[in-house]
Amino acid sequence: MAQTSTTENLTKDIPEDIKRQLFNSVMQQEWEKVAEIYKEYPSACKLKITSSGETALHLAISDPKSKNKVENVKKLVRHIKEEDQLEVLNLQTEKGNTPLHSAAETGQSGKTCKSLIDSVSGVNYENALKLVRARCKKGESPLFKAVHYGRLGSFFYLHSIIREHFGENFSNFERNDGQSILDDPIIRSILVRDDGQSILHDAIIRENFGLAFYIIQLYKDLVNHVDNQGESPLYALARKPTAFKSGKSFHGWVDKLIYKCIHVEKLKLLKSREKSDGEKNTMDNGSNIPPEIRPVLKQSPDSSRIRYCFVIFGYGPKKFRNIYDEKLKHTWAKQVLKELLDSATMYFKNTTAQQGTDAGRKDVSESSRMVLASSSGTNGGRKDVSQSSRVEPSSSSGAGKDESSKIEKNDSVLRIAAKYGIIDVVKRIIDKFPVAIYDENINGNNVLLLAVEKDESSKQKDTALLIAAKYGIQEMVKGIIDKFPVAIYDEDINGKNVLLLAVEKDESSKQKDTALLIAAKYGIQEMVKGIIDKFPVAIYDEDINGKNVLLLAVEKGHLKLYKYLIKCVIGSKRVIYQREDKNGNTALHLAATYDKEHPRPWPVPGVALQMVWEVKWYEFVEHTMPSRQFLRANKDDQTPWDIFRTTHKDLTKEGMQWLQDMGRSCSVVAALIVTISFASSTTVPGGIDSNTGKPKLRNNSAFNIFASASLISLCFSVTALITFLTILTSRYHERDFCKNLPSKILIGLTSLFGSVAAMLVTFCAGRFLVFEEKIKYAAFPIYAVTFFPLCIFAVAQFSLYFDLVRAIFFSPFRYDISFPSFLKKLKKKVKKS
């Protein structure tokens, strides 16, 4: 605020017409005129000329049309007084962005950042660091902005400023295992923003995997840094299923072929720390990006000759680039995953911290005093706790006074804070040391009882029931409600009753899913495999509902991930295969469950085909489960098949309706074709020879085609009619959707298509016999037009036909993995050992 007021006072002397002239010059990118105004009115450089609080320097840096942006910026900075340069470069917009923030956002090469820093620092890295440390209202530094917008050059240059400033200390952070670079408040303010997310979090969230790879190399401590939600960068990557091949759904075999044929370069490690820090030789080449990694970062699909081979399939440069970018993203994301896992310590138990916790439990009072001491000075009430305690009314007798002072002396900070209603202190101590809630004074009163006895004159105080609900003490809540049922209607000062407080407590104490479980939910096979290979113990992770990685894969319908998991679950790890969640649901129960709001990602549309894949998924999981699991009931006394029938009831009904509608429509068409085919098959073109009783045109090839086609049309149409009638009269049992009903649909559609084709051939052959010799061959275009409706019918039904063929003959649910096969593998393993 002080800086803003000073700036406003200095810019008051500038005439209004000059201000307008400055604004117009900036809008028209006339930077020469802006420099002249700066020269004539030195305080104009501090003038904020837009409603968002930007100066002319801000706008010059972010000018998208300027071809000589760096020169324009240097020109403006040169006309700023030397004593004002640091202040001008620290001026913030309404969003808190300084000119260096804008330079980091827009500068790919980092030259603009260099020109700004060189203008105020020269060789003085103290001034440079002041600019790099500046944070916007979101708590983002210029380095953070460079990462957010994927500006590699700006990132490497700003990193070099940090490294040069700390010098040997920066290397000490890297070499010392007990010390982190985030322990330094300056570095932390640059690398981490207000919500706790680091530049590595942001790079992964924005899918800048190339940048994330090099951030891990330069700032390895960020791998295990968690944000305010308790999530590390690995969690952010676990929520990116499309960053891996397992999360990509190809549109056809051509896409898959192109994906396999494309070659992309993997990211290369930086040769040395010194060469990655924007040295002079790097700067002279016009880029801050280390030279050894430039070719990898600049690779393009235009250099791949293989793209010309797929032009015949209609794959132009745009389609090819999309597939190329996908493979590049998948390759780099896999490298980032490997680097994260190599440095991750999420399953390492810190014994030192555990010992500290145990010690804290032994001496809660002493720890509480430390917390209060650290919080002193932030609240007047906290400062005067000890003084307030002396004001407590005491007995008139001297003995009473002595006893009171004795109690006060032995009381812990938590009990004193509870007695005098200092809620924020109580909350901080209990959050830091949960066991402190059981601390009692010499009279046997704990913090709850002291809080109840506190200050009868207060407006409204929480009852013991509400306090117990806040802290999740179930035994106390139950005891109070059993003794005083009316207490359940108690409300705190915010109108929250015991139920709402219990829900709040439950929400705040919810167990966070691990990165493995998040990856399993999204079906990221590469990450699941990487984590299990690196940390085998992670396979036993469970979420708040008691579901492990295998149960989540089954619940979400991730087929490839499930196949991988049941292959790797051998020996002692087999226990996770037979796990149940908190409701007693096995993997088969979860496979039987269908959620209409969040259906499984099956690659087929339509309710009937969805039902086909649901049944196949259930049978596949059933086949891989031990036989004793089939009839096991959960806590609601439901078997897997009970759940399947209940949850798939609506889907079965919708599938039945779709099949009946299609059966009725197709059976009507088939009946019409039967009528036409029967009439044509009993008709003899040209008549019958009265002498021989044989057709007169029997030696004509067109006649033979007519007779054969009419008979084929009749057979196919009758087959189609009978097939669709059997579909209409089907019982529509759930398991019928697996193979019975799809087979009937396939046979019916094939027969109908064949009958229509044969009927058209019959028509063309009959017309060929009728036409005179002169116009026989002129009728061929008419025949071609006649077959056009057939082509339309074929194209319209091709997708459905293809899905049916794939569901019946090319199903991914293959029983190549079964329970007996695991036993065989296990026996072989035992014999070898």
Side-chain angles (χ1 to χ4, degrees), residues 600-616:
R600 295 185 177 102
W602 304 132
V604 288
V607 288
L609 293 178
Q610 283 284 330
M611 188 65 187
V612 171
W613 285 72
E614 284 289 324
V615 176
K616 284 181 176 291

Side-chain angles (χ1 to χ4, degrees), residues 436-452:
I437 198 170
Y438 302 108
D439 196 14
E440 296 179 353
N441 63 10
I442 61 174
N443 295 323
N445 294 332
N446 60 20
V447 64
L448 297 176
L449 295 175
L450 290 170
V452 172

